[in-house]
Amino acid sequence: MKKNTRDRLVLPLLIPFGSLVLIGAALWGFSRVLLAISHNAATGVALVVTVAIMTAAGLVARQKRVQGGALVSLMGVVAGIAMMAGGLAYLVVGPQKHEVEPTEVHLAAAEGAATAGFSRNSLSFPADTPVVLAFDNEDPGVQHNVQIFSADPAEDASQEPLFSGALVTGPAAASYAVEPLAGGTYFFNCLVHPATMTGTIEVAAGGGAGGAGSTIVAKDLVFDATEIDLPAGTPSTLNFDNQDAGVPHNVAIYTDAEATTTLFQGEQFAGPAAKTYDIPALDAGTYFFRCDVHPTMNGSVLVGGGGSAERGSVEVASSVGLGSGVEPPARSGNEPDLVGGRSRRTED
């Protein structure tokens, strides 16, 4: 190819398109660096690179004639500064920490809970993950709350709770923000009725509302829970423990209490025995479950928080407990306050 032809046809196309390809590759690589580090570190790196670009542009502008080699060299210097700044930020500050979405778990206190207990006496939380405990107090005029302990408070009444939610006078609902817990077995109760309103929490990797480790127990022809929490849009598992010797039970899920449309039907088996059911993905909402052999054994399935209470009550997010370091949110004058695990009512 002749030089004149190259200068008139090839270079006018090659130079801009080649520059765009190089710029695009540089931007893509730099974006990977910024996304890999924390927000504050990414801002600092971007400022350093901006200064480098402005300096390089100033040097180029001062030249009477810019040679292609010099321009490429300056671009290489800027790219090198970007990579070095990003790498240094990654080593010093560390990688980007993505926020973990809290898992929602439901718990209710039905009318007469002071003697009958919570709607369920076993919960399952995922390990090292924040939890929103949706607490529905359906007991008119009676105060209830939820406290969490590392050991059974019935055996050691002197221990302080790891978490103590604000007291709620029914009928009302509250959303408790529970800080991440390490794997293990925990205990919960109500501050006002600690002897009758009790239960356990199993915290394990992969557990949580409807995740691996969720358990429901059948004993004396009664389920130990009237609510089951499942995640929306994803398959999950349910551990079913039949403790009634010689009596068959199962867990089946239907769209509603009419039980005409089956969403899942677990295998029937006699106790004492246990099975793990594989639950298919369900859309968010509230469904119905029962034992097909004994339909009086039934309850609600809350998928993706679809059954959370809507009572027009104040939403409470409190995490008051030993070493929590979290201040409870401000409350109006007619809401209960909780200090050091003890209630303090504010007069109207």
Side-chain angles (χ1 to χ4, degrees):
M1 183 181 292
K2 295 182 179 180
K3 182 177 181 181
N4 290 339
T5 303
R6 185 193 65 182
D7 293 342
R8 285 186 290 116
L9 298 178
V10 178
L11 293 182
L13 296 175
L14 183 61
I15 291 176
F17 282 108
S19 299
L20 288 175
V21 170
L22 291 175
I23 292 172
L27 289 176
W28 184 86
F30 187 50
S31 68
R32 300 304 95 187
V33 172
L34 296 181
L35 290 173
I37 57 181
S38 66
H39 298 300
N40 292 335
T43 301
V45 171
L47 289 175
V48 170
V49 174
T50 300
V51 172
I53 292 174
M54 297 299 293
T55 303
L59 293 174
V60 171
R62 293 177 60 183
Q63 303 297 318
K64 293 182 179 181
R65 183 173 180 178
V66 180
Q67 299 292 331
L71 186 59
V72 171
S73 298
L74 288 174
M75 292 177 63
V77 170
V78 172
I81 292 175
M83 296 301 110
M84 289 179 60
L88 183 62
Y90 187 89
L91 291 174
V92 175
V93 181
Q96 171 79 319
K97 295 180 180 179
H98 299 283
E99 294 185 1
V100 178
E101 289 294 326
T103 297
E104 187 170 2
V105 178
H106 294 263
L107 180 65
E111 187 172 352
T115 55
F118 290 109
S119 62
R120 54 201 300 190
N121 56 24
S122 63
L123 300 174
S124 179
F125 288 4
D128 304 316
T129 302
V131 171
V132 173
L133 182 58
F135 176 55
D136 186 8
N137 182 1
E138 302 169 351
D139 207 357
V142 182
Q143 285 190 323
H144 297 300
N145 81 327
V146 181
Q147 298 187 121
I148 298 176
F149 300 84
S150 59
D152 190 349
E155 299 178 358
D156 181 9
S158 64
Q159 66 173 310
E160 293 291 334
L162 300 175
F163 168 87
S164 190
L167 288 167
V168 180
T169 302
S175 292
Y176 295 139
V178 182
E179 294 296 317
L181 297 173
T185 300
Y186 297 80
F187 300 82
F188 68 91
N189 69 11
C190 169
L191 169 66
V192 186
H193 310 94
T196 54
M197 299 180 68
T198 62
T200 59
I201 302 174
E202 294 297 329
V203 180
S214 294
T215 301
I216 187 169
V217 178
K219 185 176 182 180
D220 299 328
L221 300 181
V222 176
F223 285 125
D224 72 333
T226 58
E227 293 178 354
I228 296 175
D229 295 292
L230 297 176
T234 182
S236 55
T237 60
L238 176 66
N239 301 318
F240 177 43
D241 184 6
N242 181 1
Q243 297 182 4
D244 283 338
V247 180
H249 294 302
N250 79 328
V251 177
I253 301 175
Y254 300 90
T255 54
D256 52 43
E258 297 296 325
T260 55
T261 303
T262 305
L263 301 177
F264 168 80
Q265 191 166 44
E267 176 188 352
Q268 298 179 15
F269 62 95
K275 290 183 181 294
T276 297
Y277 291 140
D278 292 320
I279 311 296
L282 300 174
D283 294 332
T286 302
Y287 303 96
F288 174 78
F289 80 91
R290 74 177 189 185
C291 169
D292 289 329
V293 185
H294 309 92
T296 55
M297 300 170 60
N298 57 60
S300 299
V301 180
L302 309 179
V303 179
S308 58
E310 297 178 0
R311 296 182 175 273
S313 61
V314 61
E315 288 291 316
V316 182
S318 66
S319 179
V320 182
L322 188 62
S324 66
V326 179
E327 292 294 328
R331 300 178 176 90
S332 60
N334 60 352
E335 294 175 37
D337 192 10
L338 204 66
V339 178
R342 298 291 180 266
S343 63
R344 182 181 66 209
R345 296 303 304 274
T346 304
E347 299 297 331
D348 292 335

